[in-house]
Amino acid sequence: ENAVIKTCNRIFAPTQREKERLINFYGASPHKIGVVPCGVDLDFFCPMDQDAARRQLGFNPDDTLALFVGRFDSMKGLDRLIEAMRYLKHRRHLRLIVVGGDGIHTPEGQTLLGLVRTFGVEDSIAFIGKIEQKDLPAYYNAADVMVMPSHYESFGLVSLEALACGIPVVATPVG
């Protein structure tokens, strides 16, 4: 990262705060950094019928669905969310849908599966894996809530995508 930042001609950051981090942590020249906010295609990420989205994806219409979308990176806080599910086990129809990651067969995926077993929440969590971008709006619309338990986020684009679909977002106060 240091080499890239030192040798590139121009850097685009999604927020002023991210620009400041590039300057402070990497010594990037402020003159090389432009701020270009992320955006969401509102024609693509838009509300649709929740029951139809659940039928399309094979989810139970009576379940309460919490959705996580992201990488299996420790900064995303998925381990924290899995642990939180153990305190909600008594809610029989609560399900956590995990979209993203590089698969449950990766070292990160195996660590998360170990936590699922340790906390006894196997019946409450579904790991979907990577999906095509075109399929993402259905997952947002099937959910009752989007959860972002991140330790750090530079922008959190998935929160905007969920909100554009009319889904409430619960997030840690970071980034």
PDB file of all heavy atoms in Angstrom, residues 82 104-105 107-119 122 127:
ATOM      1  N   ILE A  82     -21.955 -13.295  15.185  1.00  0.00           N
ATOM      2  CA  ILE A  82     -22.227 -14.706  15.469  1.00  0.00           C
ATOM      3  C   ILE A  82     -22.354 -14.921  16.975  1.00  0.00           C
ATOM      4  O   ILE A  82     -23.262 -15.623  17.432  1.00  0.00           O
ATOM      5  CB  ILE A  82     -21.134 -15.609  14.853  1.00  0.00           C
ATOM      6  CG1 ILE A  82     -21.245 -15.582  13.323  1.00  0.00           C
ATOM      7  CG2 ILE A  82     -21.235 -17.033  15.385  1.00  0.00           C
ATOM      8  CD1 ILE A  82     -20.065 -16.207  12.602  1.00  0.00           C
ATOM      9  N   ILE A 104     -16.884 -20.988   3.023  1.00  0.00           N
ATOM     10  CA  ILE A 104     -16.694 -21.529   4.372  1.00  0.00           C
ATOM     11  C   ILE A 104     -15.526 -22.505   4.440  1.00  0.00           C
ATOM     12  O   ILE A 104     -15.152 -22.933   5.520  1.00  0.00           O
ATOM     13  CB  ILE A 104     -17.989 -22.191   4.897  1.00  0.00           C
ATOM     14  CG1 ILE A 104     -18.454 -23.288   3.954  1.00  0.00           C
ATOM     15  CG2 ILE A 104     -19.071 -21.159   5.124  1.00  0.00           C
ATOM     16  CD1 ILE A 104     -19.600 -24.115   4.499  1.00  0.00           C
ATOM     17  N   HIS A 105     -14.921 -22.833   3.297  1.00  0.00           N
ATOM     18  CA  HIS A 105     -13.791 -23.755   3.289  1.00  0.00           C
ATOM     19  C   HIS A 105     -12.447 -23.033   3.408  1.00  0.00           C
ATOM     20  O   HIS A 105     -11.413 -23.680   3.508  1.00  0.00           O
ATOM     21  CB  HIS A 105     -13.829 -24.637   2.042  1.00  0.00           C
ATOM     22  CG  HIS A 105     -15.104 -25.424   1.947  1.00  0.00           C
ATOM     23  ND1 HIS A 105     -15.444 -26.401   2.854  1.00  0.00           N
ATOM     24  CD2 HIS A 105     -16.134 -25.348   1.091  1.00  0.00           C
ATOM     25  CE1 HIS A 105     -16.620 -26.908   2.547  1.00  0.00           C
ATOM     26  NE2 HIS A 105     -17.065 -26.270   1.489  1.00  0.00           N
ATOM     27  N   PRO A 107      -9.697 -20.560   5.465  1.00  0.00           N
ATOM     28  CA  PRO A 107      -9.363 -20.480   6.900  1.00  0.00           C
ATOM     29  C   PRO A 107     -10.304 -19.544   7.671  1.00  0.00           C
ATOM     30  O   PRO A 107     -10.730 -19.861   8.778  1.00  0.00           O
ATOM     31  CB  PRO A 107      -7.923 -19.948   6.906  1.00  0.00           C
ATOM     32  CG  PRO A 107      -7.363 -20.392   5.592  1.00  0.00           C
ATOM     33  CD  PRO A 107      -8.508 -20.336   4.622  1.00  0.00           C
ATOM     34  N   GLU A 108     -10.641 -18.399   7.071  1.00  0.00           N
ATOM     35  CA  GLU A 108     -11.550 -17.460   7.735  1.00  0.00           C
ATOM     36  C   GLU A 108     -12.926 -18.082   7.910  1.00  0.00           C
ATOM     37  O   GLU A 108     -13.565 -17.952   8.962  1.00  0.00           O
ATOM     38  CB  GLU A 108     -11.666 -16.155   6.936  1.00  0.00           C
ATOM     39  CG  GLU A 108     -10.383 -15.376   6.819  1.00  0.00           C
ATOM     40  CD  GLU A 108      -9.485 -15.849   5.672  1.00  0.00           C
ATOM     41  OE1 GLU A 108      -9.868 -16.768   4.915  1.00  0.00           O
ATOM     42  OE2 GLU A 108      -8.381 -15.299   5.550  1.00  0.00           O
ATOM     43  N   GLY A 109     -13.404 -18.761   6.863  1.00  0.00           N
ATOM     44  CA  GLY A 109     -14.699 -19.424   6.925  1.00  0.00           C
ATOM     45  C   GLY A 109     -14.730 -20.517   7.972  1.00  0.00           C
ATOM     46  O   GLY A 109     -15.718 -20.671   8.707  1.00  0.00           O
ATOM     47  N   GLN A 110     -13.659 -21.273   8.066  1.00  0.00           N
ATOM     48  CA  GLN A 110     -13.578 -22.336   9.070  1.00  0.00           C
ATOM     49  C   GLN A 110     -13.587 -21.761  10.486  1.00  0.00           C
ATOM     50  O   GLN A 110     -14.204 -22.335  11.392  1.00  0.00           O
ATOM     51  CB  GLN A 110     -12.330 -23.193   8.841  1.00  0.00           C
ATOM     52  CG  GLN A 110     -12.431 -24.085   7.612  1.00  0.00           C
ATOM     53  CD  GLN A 110     -13.561 -25.099   7.754  1.00  0.00           C
ATOM     54  OE1 GLN A 110     -13.575 -25.907   8.674  1.00  0.00           O
ATOM     55  NE2 GLN A 110     -14.524 -25.036   6.854  1.00  0.00           N
ATOM     56  N   THR A 111     -12.926 -20.632  10.672  1.00  0.00           N
ATOM     57  CA  THR A 111     -12.940 -19.970  11.981  1.00  0.00           C
ATOM     58  C   THR A 111     -14.362 -19.562  12.343  1.00  0.00           C
ATOM     59  O   THR A 111     -14.817 -19.774  13.476  1.00  0.00           O
ATOM     60  CB  THR A 111     -12.015 -18.731  11.974  1.00  0.00           C
ATOM     61  OG1 THR A 111     -10.679 -19.165  11.724  1.00  0.00           O
ATOM     62  CG2 THR A 111     -12.079 -17.979  13.285  1.00  0.00           C
ATOM     63  N   LEU A 112     -15.079 -18.992  11.390  1.00  0.00           N
ATOM     64  CA  LEU A 112     -16.451 -18.571  11.647  1.00  0.00           C
ATOM     65  C   LEU A 112     -17.356 -19.766  11.926  1.00  0.00           C
ATOM     66  O   LEU A 112     -18.195 -19.726  12.832  1.00  0.00           O
ATOM     67  CB  LEU A 112     -16.984 -17.748  10.476  1.00  0.00           C
ATOM     68  CG  LEU A 112     -16.283 -16.402  10.270  1.00  0.00           C
ATOM     69  CD1 LEU A 112     -16.735 -15.757   8.970  1.00  0.00           C
ATOM     70  CD2 LEU A 112     -16.520 -15.470  11.443  1.00  0.00           C
ATOM     71  N   LEU A 113     -17.167 -20.857  11.164  1.00  0.00           N
ATOM     72  CA  LEU A 113     -17.960 -22.067  11.421  1.00  0.00           C
ATOM     73  C   LEU A 113     -17.671 -22.621  12.812  1.00  0.00           C
ATOM     74  O   LEU A 113     -18.573 -23.129  13.484  1.00  0.00           O
ATOM     75  CB  LEU A 113     -17.670 -23.134  10.370  1.00  0.00           C
ATOM     76  CG  LEU A 113     -18.390 -22.995   9.040  1.00  0.00           C
ATOM     77  CD1 LEU A 113     -17.980 -24.116   8.089  1.00  0.00           C
ATOM     78  CD2 LEU A 113     -19.891 -22.975   9.221  1.00  0.00           C
ATOM     79  N   GLY A 114     -16.424 -22.529  13.243  1.00  0.00           N
ATOM     80  CA  GLY A 114     -16.071 -22.954  14.593  1.00  0.00           C
ATOM     81  C   GLY A 114     -16.819 -22.151  15.645  1.00  0.00           C
ATOM     82  O   GLY A 114     -17.303 -22.702  16.638  1.00  0.00           O
ATOM     83  N   LEU A 115     -16.950 -20.854  15.406  1.00  0.00           N
ATOM     84  CA  LEU A 115     -17.708 -20.015  16.333  1.00  0.00           C
ATOM     85  C   LEU A 115     -19.186 -20.386  16.337  1.00  0.00           C
ATOM     86  O   LEU A 115     -19.823 -20.427  17.392  1.00  0.00           O
ATOM     87  CB  LEU A 115     -17.551 -18.536  15.971  1.00  0.00           C
ATOM     88  CG  LEU A 115     -16.187 -17.912  16.209  1.00  0.00           C
ATOM     89  CD1 LEU A 115     -16.148 -16.489  15.667  1.00  0.00           C
ATOM     90  CD2 LEU A 115     -15.836 -17.930  17.684  1.00  0.00           C
ATOM     91  N   VAL A 116     -19.716 -20.660  15.162  1.00  0.00           N
ATOM     92  CA  VAL A 116     -21.120 -21.067  15.053  1.00  0.00           C
ATOM     93  C   VAL A 116     -21.361 -22.313  15.898  1.00  0.00           C
ATOM     94  O   VAL A 116     -22.342 -22.390  16.656  1.00  0.00           O
ATOM     95  CB  VAL A 116     -21.506 -21.307  13.571  1.00  0.00           C
ATOM     96  CG1 VAL A 116     -22.841 -22.018  13.455  1.00  0.00           C
ATOM     97  CG2 VAL A 116     -21.522 -19.991  12.798  1.00  0.00           C
ATOM     98  N   ARG A 117     -20.447 -23.267  15.809  1.00  0.00           N
ATOM     99  CA  ARG A 117     -20.575 -24.506  16.605  1.00  0.00           C
ATOM    100  C   ARG A 117     -20.383 -24.226  18.098  1.00  0.00           C
ATOM    101  O   ARG A 117     -21.134 -24.724  18.924  1.00  0.00           O
ATOM    102  CB  ARG A 117     -19.569 -25.540  16.118  1.00  0.00           C
ATOM    103  CG  ARG A 117     -19.904 -26.106  14.761  1.00  0.00           C
ATOM    104  CD  ARG A 117     -18.931 -27.230  14.357  1.00  0.00           C
ATOM    105  NE  ARG A 117     -18.966 -27.422  12.932  1.00  0.00           N
ATOM    106  CZ  ARG A 117     -18.040 -26.976  12.074  1.00  0.00           C
ATOM    107  NH1 ARG A 117     -16.961 -26.357  12.505  1.00  0.00           N
ATOM    108  NH2 ARG A 117     -18.173 -27.185  10.793  1.00  0.00           N
ATOM    109  N   THR A 118     -19.372 -23.448  18.419  1.00  0.00           N
ATOM    110  CA  THR A 118     -19.087 -23.121  19.820  1.00  0.00           C
ATOM    111  C   THR A 118     -20.299 -22.475  20.493  1.00  0.00           C
ATOM    112  O   THR A 118     -20.625 -22.808  21.631  1.00  0.00           O
ATOM    113  CB  THR A 118     -17.876 -22.168  19.924  1.00  0.00           C
ATOM    114  OG1 THR A 118     -16.727 -22.834  19.410  1.00  0.00           O
ATOM    115  CG2 THR A 118     -17.622 -21.735  21.352  1.00  0.00           C
ATOM    116  N   PHE A 119     -20.966 -21.572  19.790  1.00  0.00           N
ATOM    117  CA  PHE A 119     -22.102 -20.857  20.370  1.00  0.00           C
ATOM    118  C   PHE A 119     -23.432 -21.579  20.152  1.00  0.00           C
ATOM    119  O   PHE A 119     -24.473 -21.105  20.604  1.00  0.00           O
ATOM    120  CB  PHE A 119     -22.171 -19.428  19.830  1.00  0.00           C
ATOM    121  CG  PHE A 119     -20.948 -18.607  20.162  1.00  0.00           C
ATOM    122  CD1 PHE A 119     -20.309 -17.872  19.195  1.00  0.00           C
ATOM    123  CD2 PHE A 119     -20.441 -18.578  21.462  1.00  0.00           C
ATOM    124  CE1 PHE A 119     -19.181 -17.111  19.495  1.00  0.00           C
ATOM    125  CE2 PHE A 119     -19.320 -17.828  21.779  1.00  0.00           C
ATOM    126  CZ  PHE A 119     -18.688 -17.089  20.793  1.00  0.00           C
ATOM    127  N   GLU A 122     -26.018 -23.177  14.985  1.00  0.00           N
ATOM    128  CA  GLU A 122     -26.026 -23.762  13.646  1.00  0.00           C
ATOM    129  C   GLU A 122     -27.375 -23.617  12.942  1.00  0.00           C
ATOM    130  O   GLU A 122     -27.423 -23.416  11.733  1.00  0.00           O
ATOM    131  CB  GLU A 122     -25.656 -25.263  13.691  1.00  0.00           C
ATOM    132  CG  GLU A 122     -24.272 -25.560  14.190  1.00  0.00           C
ATOM    133  CD  GLU A 122     -24.213 -25.827  15.685  1.00  0.00           C
ATOM    134  OE1 GLU A 122     -25.103 -25.374  16.430  1.00  0.00           O
ATOM    135  OE2 GLU A 122     -23.254 -26.497  16.109  1.00  0.00           O
ATOM    136  N   PHE A 127     -24.943 -19.523   5.722  1.00  0.00           N
ATOM    137  CA  PHE A 127     -23.854 -18.942   4.937  1.00  0.00           C
ATOM    138  C   PHE A 127     -24.184 -19.143   3.463  1.00  0.00           C
ATOM    139  O   PHE A 127     -24.168 -20.267   2.965  1.00  0.00           O
ATOM    140  CB  PHE A 127     -22.517 -19.611   5.274  1.00  0.00           C
ATOM    141  CG  PHE A 127     -21.966 -19.214   6.609  1.00  0.00           C
ATOM    142  CD1 PHE A 127     -22.282 -19.939   7.757  1.00  0.00           C
ATOM    143  CD2 PHE A 127     -21.135 -18.105   6.738  1.00  0.00           C
ATOM    144  CE1 PHE A 127     -21.780 -19.569   8.997  1.00  0.00           C
ATOM    145  CE2 PHE A 127     -20.625 -17.728   7.974  1.00  0.00           C
ATOM    146  CZ  PHE A 127     -20.951 -18.468   9.102  1.00  0.00           C
TER     147      PHE A 127
END
